[in-house]
Structure formats: C-alpha cells, structure tokens
Amino acid sequence: QVQLQESGPGLVKPSETLSLTCTVSGGSISYYYWSWIRQPPGQGLQWIGYIYFSGNTMNNPSLKGRATISVDTSKNQFSLKVRSVTPADTAVYYCARSQWLVSEFDHWGQGTLVTVSS
Amino acid sequence: EIEMTQSPATLSVSPGERATLSCRASQSVSRNLAWYQQHPGQAPRLLISGASTRATGIPARFSGNGSGTEFTLTISSLQSEDFAIYYCQHYNNWPPWTFGQGTKVEIK
C-alpha cells in the first residue's frame, strides 16, 4: 500500500521561502502524478500544483508564480517551495497522488501544518 | 477556473437517516468529479470518483450521482463514523483542479 509523508519546517518567517518534501513509500514515484494541496485553518482545500515523475509540472495561477515543484526519482520524493510567504500561506499542506493527469487524488499524506509568522 | 459550490454548508442528520449533499460546477465537468470525506485533524479520504464509482473499501451506503454541472452524494443510513466534512472536486479537462467549500454533516 503506497504511503505519502510530508516533512519540513513548521514555522516560516514572512517574506522567506517555505520548503516541504513528500516521501513516497510502498510504491514507485514513476508513472504517477504528484500534487500539493493546502488547507488554511478552518477553511477548504486548494490545489497548488502537480509534477509528473518525468518532471513536467503545472501550478495553480492563484499563487502568482511563487510555487515551484520538483521531483527526485532516486529518492522517491517530490518537493514544494513557495517563496515570499505571508501569513495567508499558513495552512496544512498535503501531498497527494493521481494515477493520471485527469483523475482524482487517490492517496494522501497525513498533512503538515506550516505557520508563517515572525 | 471552474467554481464548485456545495450545499448546504451544514447538514444536521440523526444516525440511521439518509443524507443528501449537493455540488454544482460553474461549467460542465462531464463526470470528472470526486467526493472526499475529512474528519477533524485528518487528511481527506477519497470516497467517489467518476461521479459515481466508489473507491476501494468504501461502503455501499455511499453513492454518487450526476453529470455536467449537478452532482449529489447520498449516504443511505448514517453511521457514527460518517459525521465529517465532505468535499467535491472536479478534475475535468485541464487544471487548476478546484474543490467545493465543503458540507459538514453533523449529528442532529
């Protein structure tokens, strides 16, 4: 059974860069689409972007180019960086898997809370 | 960007009763619609994909219906573990994928 686990700092200062990694275990990162999704406290879900194992990516325009997603197939990991963060970026960040580009998220990590505060 | 609107925001139901949740898309998403369940402090869990196909291990009391812009999730007889927040999400044609704002199913 594939499992996803997010990791990274839980506190980031305003204007700095948020960095998270998702480690995939129990299966290969190859031939799947991998997304980052976030949920501000008490709010709904927002898709941030995806990466294919080959490196093709697409981000949500709502983040105005601040998000970058990368993949390291040798480590079965993919990562998220969000630059120039503000308190509005405070959220639980989830990584998730899709079998195809146009498909549902069938596996999720447990999520990690990132707080943006000085 | 396709906007997903869920109703009602909160649904109060007694255990054993039927619950019907609605999701509307601002434009057609065909049947490219998923439903997720989220308990407090947990990640969302996939319930339904393709508007009506139950995910692995999801009980038969959960059913999805609809196509185009109108969708429903029905829980035929609510169990204690079903009280949670439910989200719909489209994955039609091209990103960005968007979610509804959620429906909270609470104990009446």
Side-chain angles (χ1 to χ4, degrees):
Chain A
Q1 172 76 328
V2 65
Q3 292 186 315
L4 291 74
Q5 179 68 58
E6 304 88 351
S7 59
L11 181 65
V12 181
K13 290 182 168 55
S15 80
E16 295 190 345
T17 296
L18 175 161
S19 296
L20 295 172
T21 295
C22 182
T23 301
V24 179
S25 59
S28 173
I29 203 168
S30 298
Y31 304 108
Y32 290 98
Y33 290 82
W34 304 94
S35 284
W36 287 97
I37 297 159
R38 69 182 182 180
Q39 185 172 37
Q43 297 185 36
L45 299 156
Q46 180 186 36
W47 175 79
I48 297 170
Y50 80 80
I51 190 163
Y52 191 49
F53 80 101
S54 62
N56 291 339
T57 68
M58 178 173 286
N59 294 337
N60 192 326
S62 68
L63 273 80
K64 296 179 171 52
R66 295 189 298 123
T68 301
I69 302 175
S70 59
V71 65
D72 186 337
T73 54
S74 68
K75 295 182 179 179
N76 241 30
Q77 294 177 334
F78 63 105
S79 298
L80 170 71
K81 292 186 187 298
V82 179
R83 61 180 175 81
S84 304
V85 297
T86 71
D89 294 307
T90 294
V92 175
Y93 285 75
Y94 296 101
C95 54
R97 189 192 83 168
S98 303
Q99 292 209 4
W100 305 284
L101 172 60
V102 181
S103 69
E104 66 284 356
F105 302 112
D106 59 2
H107 287 83
W108 295 64
Q110 65 185 32
T112 188
L113 174 63
V114 179
T115 302
V116 178
S117 175
S118 55
Chain B
E1 176 175 310
I2 297 174
E3 184 175 350
M4 309 300 293
T5 302
Q6 292 185 242
S7 61
T10 303
L11 189 59
S12 298
V13 187
S14 300
E17 289 188 341
R18 182 187 192 92
T20 301
L21 290 65
S22 295
C23 175
R24 174 177 293 178
S26 61
Q27 64 188 75
S28 176
V29 297
S30 186
R31 292 180 62 81
N32 294 316
L33 191 285
W35 290 94
Y36 302 88
Q37 176 192 63
Q38 187 178 36
H39 289 108
Q42 295 185 20
R45 176 176 70 146
L46 176 66
L47 296 176
I48 300 281
S49 63
S52 61
T53 302
R54 281 190 304 277
T56 302
I58 300 304
R61 64 181 181 273
F62 291 92
S63 62
N65 205 348
S67 65
T69 61
E70 301 284 344
F71 301 88
T72 58
L73 173 70
T74 300
I75 312 170
S76 59
S77 176
L78 274 153
Q79 307 298 303
S80 58
E81 61 268 30
D82 301 334
F83 292 96
I85 299 176
Y86 293 83
Y87 294 96
C88 62
Q89 176 239 335
H90 93 84
Y91 49 92
N92 188 60
N93 196 31
W94 201 247
W97 311 140
T98 51
F99 295 82
Q101 79 278 21
T103 290
K104 181 180 181 180
V105 178
E106 65 176 23
I107 301 175
K108 186 174 182 179

